[in-house]
């Protein structure tokens, strides 16, 4: 048993977060039109010492019965080793989606691809280790596998690996990157494996990104009659800053739910703009163009 005791001062704390509020017009389903608070986050973080950093995050989102419910999303410590490596322990964010989310740049409008299509957990209980090999950044995590809303159920752990070359925050800095993610999850008689490739570029007010993700679900034959499933999700997106306060963007996803099935893949196009009239406020008129209908939205983020 590992017991971690956190002790810190509120005088050095960073408090913040953001909330996502929108109005949606669903076109073919007008009974669902209206205002909603999609999500709200509250973060507390502090440097406990020169080597250790602590963060806790509360997440307010929709419960299964549509109630807004608060739950713990993160509670972890980062220990910076003398050689520059980093050890993370607790309820940590997984390493499989963060860079792609910044390449895309608009988490408040839509999740990153692997998160949106349920190919990974965004946070989980476990440990992680990060190390740089020259310009290559590596991260390996050993996690429970059930995600941050559940405790361990079968005693098996999952392995998450990510490799990155280049700039990790293209939403703030110019540069380029490309990377690899691998998840191996042998849980409850079902093996789930994710292989993801991604890349991004940012320069002269233009940001571009591309992703390819292959997600395999393999069932143990002695435990079920279900057949294996291979899912493929790709995405391409572009953003351009037309002024200090306005961006325009477009994103196109293709999600093939079962590669071996003849069912057509699902296409999604998101296009719109983002207006930042004052610090902490972002307003985005945007359109979702799906296979069956268009949804018109006004999405707002209040950042504090």
């Amino acid at each position: 048993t590992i017991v971690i005791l956190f002790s810190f001062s509120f005088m050095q704390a960073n408090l913040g977060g953001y909330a996502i509020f929108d109005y949606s017009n669903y076109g073919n389903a007008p009974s669902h039109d209206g205002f909603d608070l999609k999500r709200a986050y509250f973060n507390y973080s502090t440097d406990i010492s020169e080597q250790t950093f602590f963060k806790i995050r509360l997440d307010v989102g929709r419960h299964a019965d549509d109630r807004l419910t608060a739950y713990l999303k993160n509670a972890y410590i980062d220990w910076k080793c003398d050689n520059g490596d980093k050890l993370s322990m607790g309820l940590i964010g997984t390493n499989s989606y963060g860079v792609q989310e910044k390449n895309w740049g608009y988490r408040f409008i839509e999740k990153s691809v692997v998160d949106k299509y349920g190919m990974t957990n965004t946070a989980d209980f476990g440990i992680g280790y990060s190390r740089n090999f020259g310009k290559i950044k590596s991260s390996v995590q050993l996690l429970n596998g059930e995600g941050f809303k559940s405790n361990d159920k079968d005693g098996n752990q999952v392995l998450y690996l990510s490799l990155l070359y280049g700039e990790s925050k293209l939403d703030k800095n110019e540069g380029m990157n490309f990377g690899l993610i691998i998840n191996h999850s042998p849980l409850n008689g079902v093996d789930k494996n994710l292989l993801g490739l991604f890349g991004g570029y940012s320069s002269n007010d233009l940001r571009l990104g591309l992703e390819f993700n292959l997600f395999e679900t393999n069932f143990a034959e002695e435990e079920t009659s279900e057949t294996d499933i291979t899912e493929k999700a790709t995405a391409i997106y572009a953003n351009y800053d037309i002024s200090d306060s306005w961006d325009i963007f477009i994103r196109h996803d293709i999600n093939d739910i079962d590669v071996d099935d003849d069912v057509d893949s699902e296409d999604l196009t998101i296009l719109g703009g983002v207006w930042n009239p004052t610090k902490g406020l972002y307003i985005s008129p945007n359109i979702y163009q799906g296979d069956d209908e268009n949804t018109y939205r006004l999405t707002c983020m209040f950042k504090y």
Side-chain angles (χ1 to χ4, degrees), residues 220-273:
E221 294 182 0
E222 65 275 11
E223 298 184 18
T224 180
S225 60
E226 295 189 61
T227 58
D228 297 344
I229 299 173
T230 299
E231 182 177 356
K232 182 170 63 176
T234 60
I236 185 170
Y237 32 83
N239 156 270
Y240 186 73
D241 298 337
I242 58 177
S243 71
D244 291 339
S245 59
W246 270 101
D247 301 347
I248 55 174
F249 66 86
I250 185 170
R251 166 175 158 179
H252 184 67
D253 296 359
I254 302 175
N255 184 36
D256 192 339
I257 298 175
D258 190 348
V259 173
D260 297 325
D261 200 326
D262 293 332
V263 177
D264 293 336
S265 59
E266 298 179 355
D267 286 25
L268 171 66
T269 301
I270 312 171
L271 57 99

Side-chain angles (χ1 to χ4, degrees), residues 1 59 74 80 89 94 99 182 184 194 208 273 278 300 302:
T1 301
D59 185 347
N74 297 120
K80 301 174 184 177
M89 297 177 285
T94 62
V99 177
I182 298 174
H184 176 57
L194 171 64
L208 304 171
T278 187
C300 304
F302 317 138

Side-chain angles (χ1 to χ4, degrees), residues 153-195:
K153 296 186 181 303
D154 66 354
N156 293 325
Q157 279 71 51
V158 306
L159 185 67
Y160 280 43
L161 171 68
S162 72
L163 298 173
L164 173 70
Y165 178 88
E167 172 60 48
S168 62
K169 298 180 179 180
L170 293 182
D171 58 336
K172 296 181 179 179
N173 304 317
E174 292 191 348
M176 55 77 65
N177 65 42
F178 56 88
L180 165 73
I181 56 171
I182 298 174
N183 298 354
H184 176 57
S185 305
L187 299 176
N188 299 313
V190 182
D191 281 357
K192 295 183 178 181
N193 299 290
L194 171 64
L195 172 64

Side-chain angles (χ1 to χ4, degrees), residues 5-69:
L5 176 64
F6 301 119
S7 178
F8 44 84
S9 169
F10 278 90
M11 296 299 292
Q12 302 174 345
N14 294 313
L15 302 174
Y18 64 91
I20 304 170
F21 173 76
D22 81 352
Y23 176 82
S24 297
N25 183 311
Y26 288 92
N28 293 341
S31 61
H32 293 83
D33 294 351
F35 296 99
D36 192 15
L37 185 68
K38 297 294 187 183
R39 210 91 187 195
Y41 296 93
F42 180 77
N43 306 324
Y44 168 87
S45 63
T46 184
D47 288 314
I48 305 172
S49 70
E50 292 184 359
Q51 290 79 34
T52 50
F53 168 83
F54 174 75
K55 181 175 181 178
I56 188 168
R57 167 180 279 189
L58 295 179
D59 185 347
V60 179
R62 290 291 177 189
H63 194 266
D65 60 3
D66 279 344
R67 287 178 298 157
L68 283 171
T69 306

Side-chain angles (χ1 to χ4, degrees), residues 144-155:
N144 279 349
E146 283 81 3
F148 64 93
K149 294 183 180 181
S150 177
N151 60 359
D152 185 67
K153 296 186 181 303
D154 66 354

